[in-house]
Coordinates of all heavy atoms in Angstrom, one line a residue:
M1 N 104.9 38.1 74.6 CA 104.5 36.7 74.8 C 103.0 36.6 74.9 O 102.4 37.3 75.7 CB 105.2 36.1 76.0 CG 105.1 34.6 76.1 SD 106.3 33.9 77.2 CE 105.3 33.6 78.7
A2 N 102.5 35.8 74.0 CA 101.0 35.7 74.0 C 100.5 34.9 75.2 O 101.1 33.9 75.6 CB 100.6 35.0 72.7
R3 N 99.4 35.4 75.7 CA 98.8 34.6 76.8 C 97.9 33.6 76.3 O 97.0 33.9 75.4 CB 98.0 35.6 77.7 CG 98.9 36.4 78.6 CD 98.1 37.0 79.7 NE 99.0 37.8 80.5 CZ 98.5 38.7 81.4 NH1 97.2 38.9 81.5 NH2 99.3 39.3 82.2
I4 N 98.0 32.4 76.7 CA 97.1 31.3 76.3 C 96.2 30.9 77.4 O 96.7 30.7 78.5 CB 98.0 30.1 75.8 CG1 98.9 30.5 74.7 CG2 97.1 29.0 75.4 CD1 99.9 29.4 74.2
Q5 N 94.9 30.9 77.1 CA 94.0 30.4 78.1 C 94.4 29.0 78.6 O 94.8 28.2 77.7 CB 92.6 30.3 77.5 CG 92.0 31.7 77.2 CD 91.6 32.4 78.4 OE1 91.1 31.8 79.3 NE2 91.7 33.7 78.4
S6 N 94.3 28.7 79.8 CA 94.8 27.5 80.3 C 93.9 26.3 79.8 O 94.4 25.2 79.5 CB 94.8 27.4 81.8 OG 93.6 27.0 82.4
D7 N 92.6 26.6 79.5 CA 91.8 25.6 78.9 C 92.3 25.2 77.5 O 92.3 24.0 77.1 CB 90.3 26.1 78.8 CG 89.6 25.8 80.1 OD1 90.2 25.2 81.0 OD2 88.4 26.2 80.2
T8 N 92.6 26.2 76.8 CA 93.2 26.0 75.4 C 94.5 25.2 75.5 O 94.7 24.3 74.8 CB 93.4 27.4 74.7 OG1 92.3 28.1 74.8 CG2 93.8 27.2 73.3
L9 N 95.3 25.6 76.5 CA 96.5 24.9 76.6 C 96.3 23.4 77.0 O 97.0 22.6 76.4 CB 97.3 25.6 77.8 CG 98.8 25.2 77.9 CD1 99.6 25.5 76.6 CD2 99.4 26.0 79.0
K10 N 95.4 23.2 77.8 CA 95.1 21.8 78.2 C 94.6 21.0 77.0 O 95.0 19.8 76.9 CB 94.0 21.8 79.3 CG 94.6 22.1 80.7 CD 93.5 22.2 81.7 CE 94.1 22.7 83.1 NZ 93.0 22.9 84.0
K11 N 93.8 21.6 76.2 CA 93.3 20.9 75.0 C 94.4 20.6 74.1 O 94.5 19.5 73.5 CB 92.2 21.8 74.3 CG 90.8 21.6 74.9 CD 89.8 22.5 74.2 CE 88.6 22.7 75.0 NZ 87.8 23.9 74.7
L12 N 95.3 21.6 74.0 CA 96.5 21.3 73.1 C 97.3 20.2 73.6 O 97.8 19.3 72.9 CB 97.3 22.6 73.0 CG 96.7 23.7 72.1 CD1 97.5 25.0 72.2 CD2 96.6 23.2 70.6
L13 N 97.5 20.3 74.9 CA 98.4 19.2 75.6 C 97.7 17.9 75.4 O 98.4 16.9 75.1 CB 98.5 19.5 77.1 CG 99.6 20.6 77.5 CD1 99.5 20.9 78.9 CD2 101.0 20.1 77.1
R14 N 96.4 17.8 75.6 CA 95.7 16.6 75.5 C 95.8 16.0 74.1 O 96.0 14.9 73.9 CB 94.2 16.8 75.9 CG 93.4 15.5 75.8 CD 92.0 15.8 76.2 NE 91.9 16.2 77.6 CZ 90.8 16.2 78.3 NH1 89.7 15.8 77.7 NH2 90.7 16.5 79.6
R15 N 95.7 16.9 73.1 CA 95.8 16.5 71.8 C 97.2 15.9 71.5 O 97.4 14.9 70.8 CB 95.5 17.6 70.8 CG 95.2 17.2 69.4 CD 94.8 18.3 68.5 NE 93.6 19.0 69.1 CZ 93.1 20.1 68.6 NH1 93.7 20.7 67.6 NH2 92.0 20.7 69.1
A16 N 98.2 16.6 72.0 CA 99.6 16.2 71.8 C 99.8 14.8 72.4 O 100.4 14.0 71.8 CB 100.5 17.2 72.4
L17 N 99.3 14.7 73.6 CA 99.4 13.4 74.3 C 98.7 12.3 73.5 O 99.2 11.2 73.4 CB 98.9 13.5 75.7 CG 99.9 14.2 76.6 CD1 99.2 14.4 78.0 CD2 101.2 13.4 76.8
N18 N 97.5 12.6 73.0 CA 96.8 11.6 72.3 C 97.6 11.1 71.1 O 97.6 9.9 70.7 CB 95.5 12.2 71.8 CG 94.3 11.9 72.8 OD1 94.4 10.9 73.5 ND2 93.4 12.7 72.8
T19 N 98.2 12.1 70.4 CA 99.0 11.8 69.3 C 100.1 10.8 69.6 O 100.5 9.9 68.9 CB 99.6 13.1 68.6 OG1 98.5 14.0 68.4 CG2 100.3 12.8 67.3
R20 N 100.7 11.1 70.8 CA 101.8 10.2 71.2 C 101.3 8.9 71.9 O 102.1 8.1 72.2 CB 102.7 11.0 72.2 CG 103.7 11.9 71.5 CD 104.1 13.1 72.4 NE 104.6 12.6 73.7 CZ 104.7 13.3 74.8 NH1 104.3 14.6 74.7 NH2 105.1 12.8 75.9
G21 N 100.0 8.9 72.1 CA 99.5 7.7 72.6 C 99.8 7.4 74.1 O 99.9 6.3 74.6
E22 N 100.1 8.5 74.8 CA 100.6 8.3 76.2 C 99.5 8.7 77.2 O 99.6 8.5 78.4 CB 101.8 9.2 76.5 CG 103.1 8.6 75.9 CD 104.3 9.4 76.2 OE1 104.2 10.2 77.1 OE2 105.3 9.2 75.5
E23 N 98.4 9.3 76.7 CA 97.4 9.7 77.7 C 96.5 8.5 78.0 O 96.2 7.8 77.2 CB 96.5 10.8 77.1 CG 95.7 11.4 78.2 CD 94.6 12.4 77.6 OE1 94.5 12.5 76.4 OE2 93.9 13.0 78.4
I24 N 96.2 8.5 79.3 CA 95.3 7.4 79.7 C 93.9 7.9 79.6 O 93.6 9.1 79.7 CB 95.6 6.9 81.1 CG1 95.5 8.0 82.1 CG2 97.0 6.2 81.2 CD1 95.4 7.6 83.5
G25 N 92.9 7.0 79.4 CA 91.5 7.4 79.4 C 90.9 7.4 80.8 O 91.6 7.0 81.7
C26 N 89.7 7.9 80.9 CA 89.0 8.0 82.1 C 88.9 6.6 82.8 O 89.0 6.5 84.0 CB 87.6 8.6 82.0 SG 87.7 10.4 81.5
E27 N 88.6 5.6 81.9 CA 88.4 4.3 82.4 C 89.7 3.8 83.1 O 89.6 3.3 84.3 CB 88.1 3.3 81.2 CG 87.3 2.2 81.6 CD 86.9 1.4 80.4 OE1 86.4 2.0 79.5 OE2 87.1 0.1 80.4
T28 N 90.8 4.0 82.5 CA 92.1 3.6 83.1 C 92.4 4.4 84.4 O 92.9 3.8 85.4 CB 93.2 3.8 82.1 OG1 92.9 3.2 80.9 CG2 94.5 3.2 82.6
C29 N 92.0 5.6 84.3 CA 92.2 6.5 85.5 C 91.4 6.0 86.7 O 91.9 5.8 87.8 CB 91.8 7.9 85.1 SG 92.0 9.1 86.5
F30 N 90.1 5.7 86.4 CA 89.3 5.2 87.5 C 89.8 3.9 88.1 O 89.7 3.6 89.3 CB 87.8 4.9 87.0 CG 87.0 6.1 87.0 CD1 86.3 6.6 85.8 CD2 86.8 6.9 88.1 CE1 85.6 7.7 85.8 CE2 86.1 8.0 88.1 CZ 85.4 8.4 86.9
E31 N 90.3 3.0 87.2 CA 90.8 1.7 87.7 C 92.0 1.9 88.7 O 92.2 1.0 89.5 CB 91.3 0.9 86.5 CG 90.2 0.2 85.7 CD 90.6 -0.4 84.4 OE1 91.9 -0.5 84.2 OE2 89.8 -0.8 83.6
S32 N 92.8 2.9 88.5 CA 93.9 3.1 89.4 C 93.7 4.2 90.4 O 94.6 4.4 91.3 CB 95.1 3.5 88.5 OG 95.4 2.5 87.6
L33 N 92.6 4.8 90.4 CA 92.4 6.0 91.2 C 92.4 5.6 92.7 O 93.0 6.3 93.5 CB 91.0 6.6 90.9 CG 90.8 8.1 91.3 CD1 92.0 8.9 90.8 CD2 89.5 8.6 90.8
D34 N 91.8 4.4 93.1 CA 91.8 4.0 94.5 C 93.2 3.8 95.0 O 93.6 4.2 96.1 CB 90.9 2.8 94.7 CG 91.3 1.6 93.8 OD1 92.0 1.8 92.8 OD2 90.9 0.5 94.2
R35 N 94.1 3.2 94.2 CA 95.5 2.9 94.6 C 96.2 4.3 94.7 O 97.0 4.5 95.6 CB 96.2 2.0 93.6 CG 96.1 0.6 94.0 CD 96.6 -0.3 92.9 NE 95.5 -0.4 91.8 CZ 95.8 -0.8 90.6 NH1 97.0 -1.2 90.2 NH2 94.8 -0.9 89.7
F36 N 95.9 5.1 93.8 CA 96.5 6.5 93.8 C 96.2 7.2 95.1 O 97.1 7.8 95.7 CB 96.0 7.2 92.5 CG 96.6 8.6 92.3 CD1 97.8 8.7 91.5 CD2 96.1 9.7 92.9 CE1 98.4 10.0 91.3 CE2 96.7 11.0 92.7 CZ 97.8 11.1 91.9
V37 N 94.9 7.2 95.4 CA 94.5 7.8 96.6 C 95.1 7.2 97.9 O 95.5 7.9 98.8 CB 93.0 7.9 96.7 CG1 92.5 8.4 98.1 CG2 92.4 8.8 95.6
E38 N 95.2 5.8 97.9 CA 95.8 5.1 99.0 C 97.2 5.5 99.2 O 97.6 5.7 100.4 CB 95.7 3.6 98.8 CG 94.3 3.1 99.3 CD 94.1 1.6 98.9 OE1 95.1 0.9 98.6 OE2 93.0 1.2 98.8
L39 N 98.0 5.6 98.2 CA 99.4 6.0 98.2 C 99.4 7.4 98.9 O 100.3 7.7 99.7 CB 100.0 6.1 96.9 CG 100.5 4.7 96.3 CD1 101.1 5.0 94.9 CD2 101.5 4.1 97.2
E40 N 98.6 8.3 98.4 CA 98.5 9.7 98.8 C 98.3 9.7 100.3 O 98.9 10.4 101.1 CB 97.4 10.4 98.1 CG 97.5 11.9 98.3 CD 97.6 12.6 97.0 OE1 98.6 12.4 96.3 OE2 96.7 13.4 96.6
L41 N 97.3 8.9 100.8 CA 96.9 8.9 102.2 C 98.1 8.3 103.0 O 98.2 8.6 104.2 CB 95.6 8.1 102.4 CG 94.4 8.8 101.9 CD1 93.2 7.9 102.0 CD2 94.1 10.1 102.6
D42 N 98.9 7.4 102.4 CA 100.0 6.8 103.1 C 101.2 7.8 103.2 O 102.2 7.5 103.7 CB 100.5 5.6 102.3 CG 99.8 4.3 102.8 OD1 98.9 4.5 103.7 OD2 100.0 3.3 102.3
G43 N 101.0 9.0 102.6 CA 102.0 10.0 102.6 C 103.1 9.7 101.6 O 104.2 10.2 101.6
K44 N 102.8 8.8 100.6 CA 103.7 8.5 99.6 C 103.5 9.4 98.4 O 102.5 10.1 98.3 CB 103.6 7.0 99.2 CG 104.1 6.1 100.3 CD 103.9 4.7 100.0 CE 104.4 3.9 101.2 NZ 103.6 2.6 101.3
D45 N 104.5 9.4 97.5 CA 104.3 10.3 96.3 C 103.5 9.6 95.2 O 104.1 8.9 94.3 CB 105.8 10.6 95.8 CG 105.7 11.8 94.9 OD1 104.6 12.1 94.4 OD2 106.8 12.4 94.6
A46 N 102.2 9.7 95.3 CA 101.3 9.1 94.3 C 101.6 9.6 92.9 O 101.5 8.9 91.9 CB 99.9 9.4 94.7
A47 N 101.9 10.9 92.8 CA 102.1 11.5 91.5 C 103.3 10.9 90.8 O 103.3 10.7 89.6 CB 102.3 13.0 91.6
Q48 N 104.3 10.5 91.6 CA 105.5 9.9 91.0 C 105.2 8.4 90.7 O 105.7 7.9 89.7 CB 106.6 9.9 92.0 CG 108.0 9.7 91.3 CD 109.1 10.1 92.2 OE1 109.1 10.0 93.4 NE2 110.2 10.6 91.6
A49 N 104.4 7.7 91.5 CA 104.1 6.3 91.2 C 103.1 6.2 90.0 O 103.3 5.3 89.3 CB 103.4 5.7 92.5
Y50 N 102.2 7.2 89.9 CA 101.3 7.1 88.8 C 101.2 8.5 88.1 O 100.3 9.2 88.2 CB 99.9 6.8 89.3 CG 99.7 5.4 89.9 CD1 99.8 5.2 91.3 CD2 99.5 4.3 89.1 CE1 99.6 3.9 91.8 CE2 99.4 3.1 89.6 CZ 99.4 2.9 91.0 OH 99.3 1.6 91.5
P51 N 102.3 8.8 87.4 CA 102.4 10.1 86.7 C 101.3 10.3 85.7 O 100.8 11.5 85.6 CB 103.8 10.1 86.0 CG 104.2 8.7 86.0 CD 103.5 8.0 87.1
L52 N 100.8 9.3 85.1 CA 99.8 9.4 84.0 C 98.4 9.7 84.7 O 97.6 10.4 84.2 CB 99.7 8.2 83.2 CG 100.9 8.0 82.2 CD1 100.7 6.7 81.4 CD2 101.0 9.2 81.3
I53 N 98.2 9.1 85.9 CA 97.0 9.4 86.6 C 97.0 10.9 87.0 O 96.1 11.6 86.9 CB 96.9 8.5 87.9 CG1 96.9 7.1 87.5 CG2 95.6 8.9 88.7 CD1 95.6 6.6 86.9
Q54 N 98.2 11.3 87.6 CA 98.3 12.7 88.1 C 98.0 13.6 86.9 O 97.3 14.6 87.0 CB 99.7 12.9 88.6 CG 100.1 14.3 88.9 CD 99.4 14.9 90.1 OE1 98.9 14.1 90.9 NE2 99.2 16.2 90.1
Y55 N 98.6 13.3 85.8 CA 98.4 14.1 84.6 C 97.0 14.2 84.1 O 96.4 15.2 83.8 CB 99.3 13.6 83.5 CG 99.6 14.7 82.4 CD1 100.4 15.8 82.8 CD2 99.0 14.6 81.2 CE1 100.6 16.8 81.9 CE2 99.2 15.6 80.3 CZ 100.0 16.7 80.6 OH 100.2 17.7 79.7
H56 N 96.3 13.0 84.2 CA 94.9 13.0 83.7 C 94.1 13.8 84.7 O 93.2 14.5 84.2 CB 94.5 11.5 83.7 CG 93.1 11.3 83.2 ND1 92.8 11.3 81.8 CD2 91.9 11.3 83.8 CE1 91.5 11.2 81.7 NE2 90.9 11.2 82.9
L57 N 94.4 13.7 86.0 CA 93.6 14.5 86.9 C 93.7 16.0 86.7 O 92.8 16.7 87.0 CB 94.0 14.1 88.4 CG 93.7 12.7 88.8 CD1 94.3 12.5 90.2 CD2 92.2 12.5 88.8
E58 N 94.9 16.4 86.2 CA 95.1 17.8 85.9 C 94.3 18.2 84.7 O 93.9 19.4 84.5 CB 96.5 18.1 85.7 CG 97.3 18.1 87.0 CD 98.8 18.1 86.8 OE1 99.2 18.4 85.7 OE2 99.5 17.9 87.8
L59 N 94.0 17.3 83.8 CA 93.3 17.6 82.5 C 91.8 17.4 82.6 O 91.1 18.0 81.9 CB 93.9 16.7 81.4 CG 95.4 17.0 81.0 CD1 95.8 16.0 79.9 CD2 95.5 18.4 80.5
C60 N 91.4 16.4 83.4 CA 90.0 16.0 83.3 C 89.3 16.4 84.6 O 89.6 15.8 85.7 CB 90.0 14.5 83.1 SG 88.4 13.8 83.1
T61 N 88.4 17.3 84.5 CA 87.7 17.8 85.7 C 86.8 16.7 86.3 O 86.6 16.6 87.5 CB 86.8 19.0 85.4 OG1 86.1 18.8 84.3 CG2 87.7 20.2 85.2
G62 N 86.2 15.8 85.4 CA 85.4 14.8 85.9 C 86.1 13.8 86.8 O 85.7 13.5 87.9
C63 N 87.3 13.4 86.4 CA 88.1 12.5 87.2 C 88.7 13.2 88.4 O 88.8 12.6 89.5 CB 89.2 11.9 86.4 SG 88.6 10.7 85.2
A64 N 89.0 14.5 88.3 CA 89.5 15.3 89.4 C 88.4 15.3 90.5 O 88.8 15.2 91.7 CB 89.9 16.7 88.9
D65 N 87.2 15.5 90.1 CA 86.1 15.5 91.1 C 86.0 14.2 91.8 O 85.8 14.1 93.0 CB 84.7 15.8 90.4 CG 84.6 17.3 90.1 OD1 85.5 18.1 90.5 OD2 83.6 17.7 89.4
E66 N 86.1 13.1 91.0 CA 86.0 11.8 91.5 C 87.2 11.5 92.5 O 87.0 11.0 93.6 CB 86.1 10.8 90.4 CG 85.5 9.5 90.6 CD 84.0 9.6 90.9 OE1 83.3 10.4 90.3 OE2 83.5 8.8 91.7
Y67 N 88.3 12.0 92.2 CA 89.5 11.9 93.0 C 89.3 12.6 94.3 O 89.6 12.1 95.4 CB 90.7 12.4 92.3 CG 91.9 12.8 93.1 CD1 92.7 11.8 93.7 CD2 92.2 14.1 93.3 CE1 93.8 12.1 94.5 CE2 93.3 14.5 94.1 CZ 94.1 13.5 94.7 OH 95.1 13.8 95.5
Q68 N 88.8 13.8 94.3 CA 88.6 14.6 95.5 C 87.5 13.9 96.4 O 87.7 13.9 97.6 CB 88.0 16.0 95.1 CG 89.1 16.9 94.4 CD 90.2 17.3 95.3 OE1 90.2 17.1 96.5 NE2 91.3 17.7 94.7
A69 N 86.5 13.4 95.8 CA 85.5 12.7 96.5 C 86.0 11.5 97.2 O 85.7 11.2 98.4 CB 84.3 12.3 95.6
L70 N 86.8 10.7 96.5 CA 87.4 9.5 97.0 C 88.4 9.8 98.2 O 88.4 9.2 99.2 CB 88.2 8.8 95.9 CG 88.5 7.3 96.1 CD1 87.3 6.5 96.4 CD2 89.2 6.8 94.8
L71 N 89.2 10.8 97.9 CA 90.1 11.3 98.9 C 89.4 11.7 100.2 O 89.8 11.3 101.3 CB 90.9 12.5 98.4 CG 92.2 12.9 99.2 CD1 93.2 11.7 99.2 CD2 92.8 14.1 98.5
A72 N 88.3 12.5 100.1 CA 87.6 12.9 101.2 C 86.9 11.7 101.9 O 87.0 11.7 103.2 CB 86.5 13.9 100.7
A73 N 86.4 10.8 101.2 CA 85.7 9.6 101.8 C 86.7 8.8 102.6 O 86.5 8.4 103.7 CB 85.1 8.8 100.7
L74 N 87.9 8.5 102.0 CA 88.9 7.7 102.6 C 89.5 8.4 103.8 O 89.8 7.8 104.9 CB 90.0 7.3 101.7 CG 89.6 6.3 100.6 CD1 90.7 6.0 99.7 CD2 89.2 5.0 101.3
N75 N 89.6 9.7 103.7 CA 90.1 10.5 104.8 C 89.2 10.4 106.0 O 89.6 10.3 107.2 CB 90.2 12.0 104.4 CG 91.6 12.5 104.3 OD1 92.5 12.0 105.0 ND2 91.9 13.4 103.4
E76 N 87.9 10.4 105.8 CA 86.9 10.3 106.8 C 87.0 8.9 107.5 O 87.0 8.8 108.7 CB 85.5 10.5 106.2 CG 84.6 11.1 107.2 CD 83.4 11.7 106.4 OE1 83.6 12.7 105.6 OE2 82.3 11.2 106.6
L77 N 87.2 7.9 106.7 CA 87.3 6.6 107.2 C 88.6 6.5 108.1 O 88.5 5.9 109.2 CB 87.5 5.6 106.0 CG 86.2 5.2 105.3 CD1 86.5 4.2 104.2 CD2 85.2 4.6 106.3
Q78 N 89.7 7.1 107.6 CA 90.9 7.0 108.4 C 90.8 7.8 109.7 O 91.5 7.4 110.6 CB 92.1 7.6 107.5 CG 92.6 6.5 106.5 CD 94.0 6.8 106.1 OE1 94.5 7.9 106.3 NE2 94.6 5.8 105.5
D79 N 90.0 8.8 109.6 CA 89.9 9.6 110.9 C 89.0 8.9 111.9 O 88.9 9.3 113.0 CB 89.2 10.9 110.5 CG 90.1 11.9 109.9 OD1 91.3 11.6 109.9 OD2 89.7 12.9 109.4
G80 N 88.5 7.8 111.5 CA 87.7 7.0 112.4 C 86.3 7.6 112.7 O 85.7 7.4 113.7
A81 N 85.8 8.4 111.7 CA 84.6 9.0 111.9 C 83.5 7.9 111.9 O 83.6 6.9 111.3 CB 84.3 9.9 110.7
A82 N 82.4 8.2 112.7 CA 81.3 7.3 112.8 C 80.8 7.0 111.4 O 80.5 8.0 110.7 CB 80.3 7.8 113.7
P83 N 80.6 5.8 111.0 CA 80.2 5.4 109.7 C 78.8 5.9 109.4 O 78.4 6.1 108.2 CB 80.2 3.9 109.6 CG 80.4 3.5 111.0 CD 80.9 4.6 111.8
D84 N 78.0 6.2 110.4 CA 76.6 6.6 110.1 C 76.4 8.1 110.2 O 75.4 8.6 110.3 CB 75.6 5.9 111.1 CG 75.9 6.2 112.5 OD1 77.0 6.8 112.8 OD2 75.1 5.9 113.4
S85 N 77.6 8.8 110.3 CA 77.5 10.3 110.5 C 77.3 11.0 109.2 O 77.0 12.2 109.1 CB 78.8 10.8 111.1 OG 79.9 10.6 110.3
A86 N 77.5 10.3 108.0 CA 77.4 10.9 106.8 C 76.0 10.9 106.3 O 75.4 9.9 106.0 CB 78.3 10.2 105.7
S87 N 75.4 12.1 106.2 CA 74.1 12.2 105.7 C 73.8 13.5 105.1 O 74.5 14.5 105.4 CB 73.0 11.8 106.7 OG 73.2 12.7 107.8
Ligands
ZN1 ZN1 89.0 11.5 83.1

């Protein structure tokens, strides 16, 4: 069985999804990212609620970074951290 680089695999997957017209773009991802993160913080299954967002995050490092940053920021807010402690 041939080993396929995961990057190559992702590109292939992305291309396949594009062909099927099911992949969302970064813009759509950003639009729903806050709701996705809120669900996650609520302990709900965000990936099930927004499977295309979840999928995009697995493919797109830019949006994945954004997601991590948003998650970290909201986590801090929920923890009741002092708002002026971030510097
Ligand atoms: Zn993206």
